[in-house]
Amino acid sequence: MGTKNEEMVSAEQNLNPLCFECGQQHWTRENHLYNYQNDVDDDLVCHICLQPLLQPLDTPCGHTFCYKCLRNFLQEKDFCPLDRKRLHFKLCKKSSILVHKLLDKLLVSCPFSSVCEEVMQRCDLEAHLKNRCPGASHRRAALERRKNSKLQADTESEGENSMIDRPGSQSPDAEHAGTGTAPAEQNFTSATVPVWTDESGLDNPAFEENTGADTTHQPPSLPEGEITTIEIHRSNPYIELGISIVGGNETPLINVVIQEVYRDGIIARDGRLLAGDQILQVNSFDISNVSHNHARAILSQPCTVLHLTVLRERRFGSRTHNHSDSPPQREESFHVTLHKRDSNEQLGIKLVRRTDEPGVFVLDLLEGGLAAQDGRLCSNDKVLAINGHDLKHGTPELAAQIIQASGERVSLTISRPAKSQIMSILRDGGTHPVSQHQSHQLYHSNRPSPHKDLSQCVTCQEKHITVKKEPHESLGMTVAGGRGSKSGELPIFVTSVQPHGCLARDGRIKRGDVLMNINGIDLTNLSHSEAVAMLKASTASSVVSLKALEVQIAEEQPQATDEQPSTISENEYDASWSPSWVMWLGLPSCLHSCHDVILRRSNLASWGFSIVGGYEENHTNQPFFIKTIVLGTPAYFDGRLKCGDMIVAVNGLSTVGMSHSALVPMLKEQRNKVTLTVICWPGSLI
């Protein structure tokens, strides 16, 4: 059934490969996709992907699966997906010739349905696409033209012409819960591709080996500790950037932070952005204080040139001020009183926090602003207090609230290294890394910074549904997630509802719903394949009872100047849909999966991550989130912590109800080892 020339790949590096054996878009590691005309007998369906078998293999325990499905499953497990008996891939055998013939005779329609309406046996589709189909012939010619154009451009720029799979084709984790057909309405001229994947495909460019052979062509890395604007080019405006993001003003993170950079995406090939970078502005749109999904929609807008304003942490130098043999730094304190012409006038100060020292620090002064005109404040000053409110362990958010409520007089208590030390600080940039974890632009008059209550922004509603259907009729939905998934410890959730299935007719199960129970069987602790088997077993029933959770996200109404057409599709059967990071935050604690991360260090340098959240005055209690991970630190080299992870315990002590000013010193007091209990949710794919 397979051919050596299985894929013809578009020269546009970001498009999915188009397979000319089945005529649809998928990666080599995935099964072919077909538009089946009739329901298929259950004995000919793979119980992993729930589609008709491809290259079927029989197990010693009497079950049959697709070759690729079983191979991928047994790369992580050592048992049969159905009866959990111990199983080794080498012991499986090809199914009989009779089974192959039955599968080859299944009727499928041509995937180029807009120009070709032929229906044929599955075994004849490849020859039809190569020799007879006008749609396939036109597509091949278009790909060849693109390839030639790209090769010419690459030759002129002396760039390498490489094509490596990146996350984005149909999800290995998004299985059909029934014997429904694959979507027939594939638009092969569009670069809008499925993005939810159970293959990690993640890459931290900092870990890539640098041979030095091509360093002259490498783009310059971003300056650390500075706000920078970069320009990203993409020939196709609809191609994804290839990153995942966390943050948003409904969480303590406030800003949008890159959680992961995906190998061979637009951003990874550009090479300048890393996980942990904060995105403050996209083209002309300020996203430094907007909801997560609003920021996601703006980042997803199609454009060929993308201007991103970003902020990167400054990594630690070789010398730290924590060493016992280092002399203590002398600080001088003084008071600065600023008088505003009216209570709405802005001070023109950017305040940030650091990873190596608690408190609030001045990052920059707005040219022409009130503070700059006064002339006494400088970058790197530490704000000890504002109007008598102690900020030694405060946050930029709290400082912003105090200033906004202060009226026309703002009194600041400032700490600054003594003048004799300033030159040494300038010579050793690592001594005082300006690690901006929250850049509050206090001069931005149209962006107040209210700290929202996450529980009010993301809510979860339980629903019990009973669906009547024909016996052996599929439920008509696809699902993803499951315990042990490469994408994380996720519950089973609905990725699409097929338009003509029984669930679509009922109308109560929606994309994004989390499935808890089916016909009395708990799904919350099952792996993906186990849950799919349970859903598949329900097809024999005429009545199916489902317990599900619907996550609802209260979206802010954007201002008129910020309005953008949403790119998040409302089509319930859109294979390109992927869940929002904020969706996971609304799940009840019973669905949280915690794991321990043990960090070790050989000296008293920083652990290398910053936190936001916790109980603070004027706030409700918020979870602790990791906002940034600094290059060259224990947290960075360990590799398990991610931006957006929630810290729920430190050395077994729960952080619930703990203040930010209490947790920071507690982490600093740990000497050579600390155990963090964290919850990790995958960021939103862009």
Side-chain angles (χ1 to χ4, degrees):
M1 295 174 64
T3 64
K4 292 185 178 180
N5 185 20
E6 184 174 79
E7 296 175 343
M8 292 188 64
V9 180
S10 165
E12 186 69 43
Q13 289 191 352
N14 307 94
L15 287 177
N16 274 343
L18 184 63
C19 170
F20 277 92
E21 183 171 334
C22 67
Q24 305 210 35
Q25 291 175 301
H26 66 85
W27 300 120
T28 306
R29 65 177 178 268
E30 298 172 342
N31 277 331
H32 296 301
L33 302 175
Y34 296 96
N35 301 327
Y36 294 96
Q37 292 299 291
N38 304 308
D39 288 339
V40 179
D41 188 281
D42 184 68
D43 291 334
L44 298 177
V45 171
C46 170
H47 283 241
I48 296 179
C49 67
L50 300 184
Q51 291 295 297
L53 291 158
L54 289 167
Q55 297 175 281
L57 289 180
D58 295 333
T59 68
C61 52
H63 301 108
T64 305
F65 305 95
C66 299
Y67 174 93
K68 291 183 179 179
C69 293
L70 187 59
R71 181 193 61 189
N72 294 338
F73 180 88
L74 292 178
Q75 285 177 350
E76 294 187 357
K77 309 293 184 181
D78 61 353
F79 52 81
C80 173
L82 290 182
D83 60 17
R84 302 180 69 86
K85 292 182 180 178
R86 187 168 295 276
L87 179 62
H88 195 284
F89 187 72
K90 292 183 178 180
L91 299 179
C92 301
K93 299 180 179 180
K94 289 184 179 180
S95 299
S96 67
I97 296 177
L98 176 61
V99 172
H100 280 84
K101 287 184 176 180
L102 291 173
L103 291 166
D104 286 343
K105 291 182 179 180
L106 294 175
L107 296 179
V108 299
S109 62
C110 177
F112 296 92
S113 55
S114 60
V115 294
C116 179
E117 298 180 353
E118 285 197 34
V119 175
M120 67 217 76
Q121 293 183 358
R122 193 174 78 176
C123 60
D124 296 331
L125 179 61
E126 181 179 359
H128 167 78
L129 294 173
K130 289 183 177 179
N131 304 314
R132 299 187 298 274
C133 178
S137 176
H138 175 77
R139 183 60 175 159
R140 277 194 297 269
L143 291 178
E144 189 63 28
R145 287 194 299 269
R146 289 188 186 183
K147 181 179 179 181
N148 293 336
S149 175
K150 182 64 176 176
L151 287 174
Q152 181 179 359
D154 285 350
T155 301
E156 294 172 355
S157 62
E158 297 182 357
E160 294 183 358
N161 182 18
S162 61
M163 181 65 192
I164 306 176
D165 292 359
R166 80 174 177 89
S169 85
Q170 180 167 329
S171 164
D173 215 16
E175 310 288 0
H176 287 268
T179 57
T181 62
E185 301 80 21
Q186 295 266 4
N187 180 5
F188 294 106
T189 63
S190 168
T192 302
V193 295
V195 292
W196 179 260
T197 175
D198 199 30
E199 297 287 336
S200 57
L202 305 178
D203 183 47
N204 186 340
F207 286 107
E208 288 295 313
E209 293 184 4
N210 183 5
T211 63
D214 226 5
T215 54
T216 57
H217 299 287
Q218 295 290 332
S221 61
L222 293 185
E224 298 173 357
E226 296 180 17
I227 295 176
T228 311
T229 298
I230 65 173
E231 191 173 277
I232 304 291
H233 293 265
R234 50 183 172 184
S235 55
N236 189 321
Y238 293 93
I239 293 171
E240 292 81 9
L241 297 177
I243 59 175
S244 64
I245 60 169
V246 297
N249 67 3
E250 64 268 65
T251 74
L253 295 169
I254 304 295
N255 287 350
V256 172
V257 183
I258 297 176
Q259 185 189 62
E260 299 284 358
V261 177
Y262 290 85
R263 181 180 291 120
D264 286 309
I266 294 288
I267 296 299
R269 286 201 305 276
D270 176 81
R272 286 176 287 181
L273 291 181
L274 301 176
D277 289 346
Q278 301 172 37
I279 304 177
L280 306 179
Q281 186 169 306
V282 181
N283 292 333
S284 59
F285 295 93
D286 180 6
I287 63 169
S288 63
N289 186 17
V290 300
S291 71
H292 179 87
N293 283 346
H294 184 56
R296 187 187 187 194
I298 291 176
L299 280 164
S300 300
Q301 292 301 311
C303 60
T304 55
V305 180
L306 193 67
H307 295 275
L308 298 178
T309 301
V310 298
L311 179 65
R312 172 171 298 169
E313 298 298 334
R314 178 171 293 161
R315 76 183 76 188
F316 296 106
S318 57
R319 181 170 65 88
T320 75
H321 64 282
N322 289 327
H323 286 175
S324 58
D325 57 349
S326 299
Q329 289 190 354
R330 291 189 297 108
E331 302 281 339
E332 54 184 27
S333 299
F334 56 95
H335 297 278
V336 174
T337 301
L338 301 176
H339 296 275
K340 299 188 286 186
R341 286 183 287 269
D342 61 73
S343 58
N344 292 324
E345 184 179 7
Q346 303 298 307
L347 299 183
I349 308 174
K350 297 179 187 177
L351 297 180
V352 299
R353 60 164 57 87
R354 292 178 176 174
T355 56
D356 66 325
E357 186 176 350
V360 180
F361 296 83
V362 176
L363 171 64
D364 197 8
L365 303 178
L366 176 65
E367 185 177 354
L370 185 60
Q373 292 176 10
D374 179 83
R376 286 176 288 176
L377 292 177
C378 298
S379 176
N380 226 24
D381 283 349
K382 182 175 182 178
V383 181
L384 301 179
I386 299 178
N387 290 349
H389 294 273
D390 186 2
L391 291 173
K392 292 185 181 67
H393 291 89
T395 64
E397 301 98 320
L398 181 56
Q401 290 182 351
I402 296 172
I403 292 174
Q404 289 170 1
S406 63
E408 297 179 1
R409 182 177 180 274
V410 181
S411 178
L412 301 99
T413 303
I414 302 297
S415 173
R416 181 183 296 167
K419 291 183 179 179
S420 61
Q421 295 177 314
I422 291 178
M423 290 306 297
S424 65
I425 292 174
L426 293 176
R427 285 194 300 268
D428 185 1
T431 302
H432 277 277
V434 182
S435 299
Q436 294 83 357
H437 292 264
Q438 182 61 55
S439 176
H440 277 263
Q441 303 186 19
L442 303 180
Y443 57 85
H444 195 59
S445 58
N446 293 326
R447 284 287 185 196
S449 300
H451 195 93
K452 298 185 178 181
D453 184 351
L454 181 59
S455 63
Q456 296 176 358
C457 298
V458 187
T459 58
C460 205
Q461 180 179 355
E462 185 175 302
K463 51 188 179 183
H464 297 262
I465 296 169
T466 300
V467 179
K468 294 182 179 180
K469 63 181 187 65
E470 295 296 325
H472 301 293
E473 180 185 9
S474 68
L475 292 175
M477 65 176 173
T478 60
V479 299
R483 300 306 180 189
S485 163
K486 289 183 179 180
S487 298
E489 295 294 321
L490 303 177
I492 299 294
F493 63 97
V494 178
T495 58
S496 67
V497 178
Q498 297 177 10
H500 304 298
C502 63
L503 290 180
R505 294 194 301 270
D506 180 84
R508 288 176 289 177
I509 289 292
K510 302 180 183 300
R511 185 181 59 194
D513 285 354
V514 175
L515 300 182
M516 306 281 288
N517 187 295
I518 181 168
N519 291 339
I521 300 173
D522 183 23
L523 301 176
T524 58
N525 291 310
L526 299 184
S527 68
H528 178 75
S529 57
E530 292 169 341
V532 167
M534 294 298 102
L535 294 170
K536 177 64 180 176
S538 69
T539 58
S541 305
S542 57
V543 177
V544 175
S545 297
L546 288 168
K547 176 183 175 183
L549 294 177
E550 181 177 350
V551 181
Q552 299 172 329
I553 303 172
E555 293 294 340
E556 66 178 13
Q557 294 299 320
Q559 300 177 6
T561 57
D562 285 347
E563 282 192 15
Q564 284 273 2
S566 174
T567 60
I568 308 300
S569 172
E570 298 301 323
N571 180 7
E572 287 289 318
Y573 189 51
D574 177 10
S576 68
W577 179 85
S578 64
S580 168
W581 176 71
V582 179
M583 166 184 147
W584 305 117
L585 304 183
L587 298 183
S589 58
C590 63
L591 293 178
H592 294 178
S593 180
C594 305
H595 66 278
D596 288 342
V597 174
I598 300 176
L599 298 180
R600 291 180 170 84
R601 60 183 178 184
S602 58
N603 52 47
L604 294 183
S606 171
W607 292 110
F609 63 90
S610 69
I611 59 173
V612 292
Y615 178 82
E616 294 182 16
E617 189 178 359
N618 301 325
H619 294 182
T620 55
N621 188 37
Q622 296 281 352
F624 284 101
F625 289 89
I626 292 178
K627 182 151 193 180
T628 48
I629 297 171
V630 182
L631 298 174
T633 61
Y636 174 78
F637 288 121
D638 179 84
R640 288 175 291 173
L641 291 179
K642 295 180 181 179
C643 301
D645 284 359
M646 299 166 58
I647 300 179
V648 296
V650 175
N651 291 340
L653 178 64
S654 173
T655 61
V656 175
M658 188 179 294
S659 69
H660 185 276
S661 57
L663 183 56
V664 170
M666 177 180 171
L667 289 168
K668 286 179 174 289
E669 290 169 1
Q670 310 305 313
R671 298 188 63 83
N672 300 320
K673 174 184 174 182
V674 66
T675 300
L676 305 175
T677 303
V678 300
I679 300 171
C680 179
W681 298 118
S684 300
L685 301 179
I686 303 296

